[in-house]
Amino acid sequence: MNCKPSALKLVSRVKSETLTDLKSFCRRSIELMSCDVSSYAKGRYRLWLFHECNLKTGKITKGYYDDRLWNFCQRVYSGTNIGLLTFGGKVGNIQSTGLIQLHRDHSYSQVIARTVNLGSCIFNYDGKDYQLNDGDIIEFNCKKLHGVTKILSEERFSINLWKLNEVKGYKPVV
């Protein structure tokens, strides 16, 4: 499915029977997360999925891998090979803002991104605010300005998915 360069669209919703399992997986994954190093996402916890990109050097390395999550992500965005699980909320001694300032995604990714939203937030895209609700799956041009400006639920997770931009030299690690 292609996305017009300026469009943000709701492409699907996570099935209710999958939503509960997915949220449980995300909660269990908090202990694997680390504080984001991006200056745009101070105080946000995240976990690279499948591959990781060092945003300073552009080096691609292996990220966290789970078969069930991989299969789910392939159904959400066929061909995806790099992702980021983010968290907003408080669990135990971990408190994460879950926010990220307006930014354009690094050149490691192709233009189209998909996000699985778990919880509720305000997502600003190309100068306009959108409320993302529990289970929404959106597609957008990640080279346009976008960010999460407010978390509306007690906890919020996002699974952000891209395809590595092999044309620019970002290749999967074997």
Side-chain angles (χ1 to χ4, degrees), residues 9-156:
K9 66 181 173 182
L10 178 67
V11 293
S12 189
R13 292 189 47 79
V14 177
K15 294 177 184 172
S16 58
E17 59 271 17
T18 304
L19 201 55
T20 302
D21 286 346
L22 193 56
K23 284 181 180 180
S24 292
F25 170 83
C26 290
R27 285 184 196 109
R28 288 190 309 272
S29 299
I30 291 171
E31 65 187 39
L32 303 173
M33 293 182 179
S34 58
C35 200
D36 206 310
V37 297
S38 169
S39 61
Y40 292 102
K42 290 187 187 302
R44 179 182 78 168
Y45 274 71
R46 53 95 172 129
L47 175 67
W48 284 98
L49 305 173
F50 321 127
H51 285 92
E52 178 174 348
C53 180
N54 179 314
L55 300 176
K56 288 186 181 5
T57 66
K59 183 177 179 180
I60 301 295
T61 56
K62 290 187 179 205
Y64 176 79
Y65 182 88
D66 174 89
D67 276 328
R68 200 165 165 204
L69 181 64
W70 171 263
N71 292 331
F72 170 79
C73 291
Q74 292 304 313
R75 288 191 304 277
V76 168
Y77 192 19
S78 182
T80 188
N81 53 10
I82 187 167
L84 196 66
L85 172 62
T86 70
F87 168 63
K90 184 171 179 9
V91 172
N93 62 351
I94 295 177
Q95 181 151 357
S96 174
T97 66
L99 304 176
I100 186 164
Q101 297 172 14
L102 295 178
H103 68 286
R104 291 178 176 88
D105 288 351
H106 188 280
S107 58
Y108 70 78
S109 71
Q110 293 180 21
V111 172
I112 301 304
R114 285 199 179 173
T115 294
V116 178
N117 186 71
L118 305 170
S120 184
C121 73
I122 300 298
F123 182 79
N124 186 287
Y125 175 71
D126 207 17
K128 184 176 177 190
D129 283 341
Y130 296 87
Q131 182 171 328
L132 301 184
N133 297 306
D134 202 22
D136 286 351
I137 301 173
I138 61 166
E139 180 175 278
F140 62 99
N141 177 338
C142 66
K143 305 308 179 184
K144 292 195 169 275
L145 284 174
H146 62 282
V148 175
T149 58
K150 188 173 186 180
I151 304 294
L152 302 173
S153 50
E154 191 172 311
E155 68 177 13
R156 187 244 178 190

